[in-house]
Amino acid sequence: MPKEILEGLNEEQRQAVIHENGPLLIIAGAGTGKTTVITRRIAWLMQEKKLGADNILTLTFTEKAAGEMEERIDQLLPYGYMDLWVSTFHAFCERVLKQYAIDIGLPPDFTILDQTDQALLVREHIDEFDLDYYKPLGNPTKFIHALLAHFSRAKDEGITPEEYLAYAEELKQNEDQQEFAKGEDIPEHLRIAEIANAYHTYQRLLLENSAFDFGDLILYTLQLLKKRPKIAEAFQKQFKYVLVDEFQDTNHAQYELVRALLSDEKNITVVGDDDQSIYKFRGASISNILEFKKDFSDSSEVVLTRNYRSKQNILDLAYGFIQQNNPNRLEVSLGKKISKKLVSERKGSAQIEHMHLANQEQEARRVVEKIVEIKKEGDTTWSDFAILVRANDHANLFLSMLERNGIPYQFVAARGLYQQPVVLDLINYLKLLDNYHEQKATYRVLGFPHINLPISDIMQLNEQSRRTNTPLFELLKTIRMVKGVSSASIPKIEKLVSLIEKHTFAAKKESVGQVALRALRETGYLSNVTERKDPASIQNTLYLTQFFKKIQGFEESHPESTVKDFLKEIELAQDVGDTGAIGNSWEVGPDTVKVMTVHGAKGLEFRYVFIVSLVDKRFPSIERKEPIELPDALVKETIPEGDVHLEEERRLFYVALTRAKDGLFLTSAEDYGGLRAKKPSRFLTELGFEPKIEVLEKSLLEQDDVPEIQTDEMKLIRSRIPKKFSFTQFQAFKSCPKQYKYAHILQIPAEGRFTFSFGKTMHSVMQRVFELATERARGGKQTDLFEAAAIPDKDVEIPFDEIKKIYEEEWLNEWYVSKKHEEEYFEKGKEELHAFHALHGGKFKPALHLEKGFTLKVGGHSVKGQIDRVDRIDGGVRIVDYKTGKPPDPSKNMPASDLWQLYLYARAAKEALKEKPVTLSYYYFDLGQYIDIEWNEKDEQKIMQKTEESIEGILKSNFIATPSKFVCKYCDFKDICEDSLA
């Protein structure tokens, strides 16, 4: 067993990692290294038990957590491996249903709808819901949100529409039913029947549109495992060990899913902490972890109590506080068997203070003052500080105070993308293209920072627009006639008007993505953001990147992806409360004070933590009932006795306390602007603090000596270098380091090319052709995901008409210059496929692997990729890669340097697939033939050395441009790069 896997573990961690068989409950307190234990356990199982990556299923709750685990496992394993089954619950279920949905009568080509798409679907079909009691009055989209939340809650409990309808019928049949709906004049069974029918209608609409929501992924996978025992058995046989992270956050349906995946050996490891269960509003059931011992009475327990994060006095304070939740805690329910009291591995005491001020303005000032004070005294960065709020709207005053005093800050929210200034700018520009009468949009566009119009000119235009009742944009078109506008602003406005009119014309025939990207580039907005060196500009670039991913998702799911349609989608999203998801890019972003909700801080740590607004009705918050509650009879989880909401708030506060490493500051105030003084939070009393108003004296903030803001652009850029490399990255870096920075670090969206569409089409056709050959070679039996039976070594005849039909089905019509251009390429592809068919004589041998993903270790780094095709041949395998680009001269030998990609695939085949590469092949569609190269050990070594040198070059690079006319001509970023020679 490699020493690294157990190195540095304490005794409890080691016990958890090397647990042999049977159920295991790992109770992992805050800061005790649970991720280390999970990843080491996976590596140990692979090394010690000789298990493949596909024999271990690890489920968690966020893509970030799954990515972090995969990265750590990658570092522990000294060899290559095929794809790990480490994913979120939803990603796992999507993977399963893509393969097996058809087995329970569901569409395998389903799309997954987000909250906005769901609301749009319901709104478009609102008349089909036959509502009476719940008939929407006023704003129908608010009602739709409540309806969707109810359906989601039902799916969390594993309740199908059929179960809901059966319950409604049961109520109807009960002759003693005398209850009435919420004081209304109708029987309760009619209300229940109405909501049950609405749920059934919603599910019908989803299926008619070949769509699932996120709850469906769990619900349908659960149904699959129950209705198709052989498929369930195949999973149970494949997954010899199942691990679940953050088990306290599972809902009833997810826990039921986990149990359905277990074999008789019950090799399940769950990791969690009941004291950190804080997601009831998402359907999490704390009863799952509290009752795990009842479900698995023979389970072992390992309790991790050695804390590597906080000083002991912080841990003691938090432990004493959470005792208030007894007896609904594992420590009590398991009797005297365990103690969850955390013991710090760090010496010394932390600074713990409660600061109580006269009003909220003074509270914000005191918090910022304390941050400055600590920053001046010690070796700290701004990122060492976090201000935690219970709700987003509690943060505003603290943000203003930080900004007022020149302290760099970042409001870290899971949502709010559409409110970011750069995103708002783009949305408003698009609004203006759609409708010149959008006054607010015109005003915002005039305020674009790079246009740099004086505010006096903008105010003058606005005033004249109001006075003459003339749309603001109409004034801009006649700007030389408008009095009071400075001469320097006139040419800027004329240029802006010209661009708006040009982009308006483009919006009538191009997709929203094309228009938005063109607008950002041609107005100079994008270059203004990307070329500035301050940290805020890097963050703004990341916001724009995330917004373009939203646009791309819209284009993929909407055939008519116009500016108008996209704006309708954004408007609907905002109507139902969707402000746009924001990724966690802040973690590698600028050095700033972080302001976030306590929920957002889960899993994070900071040297100094400020928990603010600790007053009654803020923290703990007021319980908010669900607008439409599930009937108690349908709820499957066990609800603990006691004040469920208060206990959840306590756990949330416990999470906040345990984020702090060296300093913990609790703050409150008497006056928050209401008619009455606020009572201090009951949590302060439970902690033993007696609030006493602090009188502020002269503040550090008034001495004009706030520490200077330090920026280091290159440090930020390098922190965003991908953790795994690819051949595409190597190509970009070789072409131009600055191109690599734009494409793979800042991830600036580039306009699509028809060549991408054509290449993707041809690759998809090849995959389906060889899948069809495999299926027919097996006598019509579909490829089994788990037990890949020996593939018959025989040719399978596939008529060209079938390949032509596949081609038509897979054709992507995006980014072609014109309809004629598209038709020319369609015919070209058809001819090339005919040549491919003829080359094979219309007969195809089943491939050994198709589109096989891998992770390869090169010099301690990880390289990822995907092999198009692997064929079994005499003596080993043949690696095939398809090319739709310009082919080389077939009469000349191809040097090893041009085989970089194939040799990476060859090494992956050796290490991960345990196959011997014999032949490396490019198939060029333009050429209509394979170019085969005999695999050579020396050449492979040269390529591996070149790969390692390329990775080291990327890691050390300053990403300075190396322009050339040829590279710049075809660079996606030539329009925003000041070094471009194009």
Side-chain angles (χ1 to χ4, degrees), residues 130-270:
D130 194 22
L131 299 171
D132 182 19
Y133 182 88
Y134 285 107
K135 188 173 183 177
L137 299 174
N139 185 349
T141 52
K142 296 293 183 185
F143 154 79
I144 290 170
H145 182 63
L147 208 60
L148 291 171
H150 184 73
F151 301 155
S152 175
R153 181 75 185 91
K155 291 173 185 180
D156 290 341
E157 290 291 321
I159 302 166
T160 65
E162 291 72 26
E163 287 179 85
Y164 216 136
L165 287 166
Y167 173 68
E169 183 62 26
E170 182 184 327
L171 285 183
K172 182 180 178 182
Q173 297 299 323
N174 186 350
E175 295 180 354
D176 296 329
Q177 175 66 40
Q178 297 296 327
E179 291 185 21
F180 286 81
K182 298 183 179 179
E184 297 292 332
D185 220 9
I186 66 169
E188 176 70 355
H189 75 84
L190 289 180
R191 183 184 74 86
I192 295 295
E194 183 174 304
I195 201 71
N197 278 298
Y199 185 20
H200 184 269
T201 300
Y202 171 66
Q203 289 302 103
R204 173 179 59 78
L205 289 170
L206 285 172
L207 291 176
E208 285 175 357
N209 288 273
S210 295
F212 296 166
D213 62 23
F214 285 104
D216 287 329
L217 294 174
I218 309 291
L219 198 63
Y220 286 141
T221 304
L222 198 50
Q223 288 181 21
L224 172 74
L225 298 177
K226 289 179 178 179
K227 293 180 177 180
R228 299 291 179 262
K230 287 187 177 180
I231 294 175
E233 186 179 344
F235 273 110
Q236 293 162 2
K237 188 173 182 180
Q238 181 196 358
F239 298 130
K240 301 185 185 305
Y241 289 83
V242 177
L243 294 87
V244 184
D245 185 26
E246 302 287 11
F247 184 65
Q248 76 279 351
D249 294 332
T250 54
N251 59 41
H252 179 85
Q254 288 165 336
Y255 187 22
E256 202 174 345
L257 174 68
V258 169
R259 286 187 291 192
L261 291 167
L262 296 180
S263 65
D264 292 339
E265 285 76 21
K266 298 179 183 177
N267 287 326
I268 179 172
T269 298
V270 299

Side-chain angles (χ1 to χ4, degrees), residues 717-780:
I717 291 294
R718 285 182 179 154
S719 71
R720 290 193 55 80
I721 293 174
K723 302 298 182 186
K724 290 187 179 181
F725 299 88
S726 67
F727 178 68
T728 303
Q729 292 184 47
F730 300 147
Q731 278 187 312
F733 186 75
K734 181 183 175 184
S735 297
C736 176
K738 193 170 185 181
Q739 182 188 95
Y740 178 90
K741 181 178 103 171
Y742 280 140
H744 299 287
I745 297 178
L746 296 179
Q747 296 180 4
I748 296 172
E751 283 189 85
R753 296 179 183 173
F754 70 86
T755 50
F756 296 159
S757 298
F758 184 70
K760 189 173 181 181
T761 297
M762 300 300 275
H763 275 73
S764 297
V765 172
M766 290 295 98
Q767 182 177 354
R768 286 186 58 184
V769 166
F770 283 93
E771 283 176 348
L772 186 60
T774 302
E775 182 182 336
R776 289 185 178 171
R778 288 175 168 167

Side-chain angles (χ1 to χ4, degrees), residues 407-424:
I407 296 175
Y409 69 89
Q410 204 167 356
F411 182 38
V412 182
R415 311 202 69 80
L417 180 65
Y418 306 149
Q419 275 76 49
Q420 300 304 320
V422 288
V423 175
L424 270 177

Side-chain angles (χ1 to χ4, degrees), residues 237-454:
K237 188 173 182 180
Q238 181 196 358
F239 298 130
K240 301 185 185 305
Y241 289 83
V242 177
L243 294 87
V244 184
D245 185 26
E246 302 287 11
F247 184 65
Q248 76 279 351
D249 294 332
T250 54
N251 59 41
H252 179 85
Q254 288 165 336
Y255 187 22
E256 202 174 345
L257 174 68
V258 169
R259 286 187 291 192
L261 291 167
L262 296 180
S263 65
D264 292 339
E265 285 76 21
K266 298 179 183 177
N267 287 326
I268 179 172
T269 298
V270 299
V271 186
D273 180 9
D274 58 304
D275 291 332
Q276 297 187 74
S277 178
I278 60 172
Y279 292 115
K280 188 180 187 327
F281 70 96
R282 293 183 189 168
S285 172
I286 191 173
S287 63
N288 287 348
I289 192 167
L290 293 175
E291 296 194 356
F292 182 82
K293 283 297 293 182
K294 295 179 184 177
D295 298 331
F296 299 94
S297 57
D298 58 339
S299 68
S300 301
E301 299 95 34
V302 174
V303 186
L304 305 182
T305 56
R306 296 194 198 181
N307 178 282
Y308 298 89
R309 176 188 299 158
S310 307
K311 298 287 181 66
Q312 188 62 52
N313 56 334
I314 291 177
L315 299 179
D316 291 343
L317 185 76
Y319 182 71
F321 170 77
I322 201 62
Q323 299 295 309
Q324 307 288 330
N325 270 2
N326 289 339
N328 292 324
R329 295 178 60 247
L330 271 177
E331 204 170 31
V332 177
S333 64
L334 293 181
K336 297 181 179 179
K337 291 182 66 176
I338 68 166
S339 169
K340 292 181 61 185
K341 182 175 173 58
L342 299 178
V343 179
S344 177
E345 292 291 307
R346 301 181 63 215
K347 304 297 182 183
S349 294
Q351 188 177 357
I352 300 177
E353 288 184 31
H354 171 230
M355 301 182 294
H356 186 63
L357 287 304
N359 56 54
Q360 58 182 340
E361 288 80 9
Q362 288 192 15
E363 180 189 8
R365 172 182 152 183
R366 187 71 183 97
V367 167
V368 175
E369 177 184 279
K370 188 59 126 176
I371 290 172
V372 172
E373 179 185 311
I374 296 171
K375 182 77 167 59
K376 286 175 66 69
E377 289 177 354
D379 180 21
T380 56
T381 66
W382 295 117
S383 294
D384 288 328
F385 301 91
I387 300 173
L388 304 185
V389 296
R390 175 61 184 86
N392 283 326
D393 56 2
H394 297 171
N396 296 334
L397 203 56
F398 297 94
L399 300 176
S400 298
M401 193 65 66
L402 288 165
E403 185 168 0
R404 192 185 311 165
N405 289 280
I407 296 175
Y409 69 89
Q410 204 167 356
F411 182 38
V412 182
R415 311 202 69 80
L417 180 65
Y418 306 149
Q419 275 76 49
Q420 300 304 320
V422 288
V423 175
L424 270 177
D425 284 347
L426 179 53
I427 290 174
N428 278 276
Y429 192 88
L430 294 175
K431 286 181 178 179
L432 188 52
L433 303 185
D434 184 54
N435 181 4
Y436 288 162
H437 293 275
E438 280 277 3
Q439 291 286 87
K440 293 178 183 176
T442 312
Y443 183 83
R444 186 168 187 92
V445 170
L446 286 173
F448 280 2
H450 68 290
I451 297 176
N452 197 26
L453 293 178

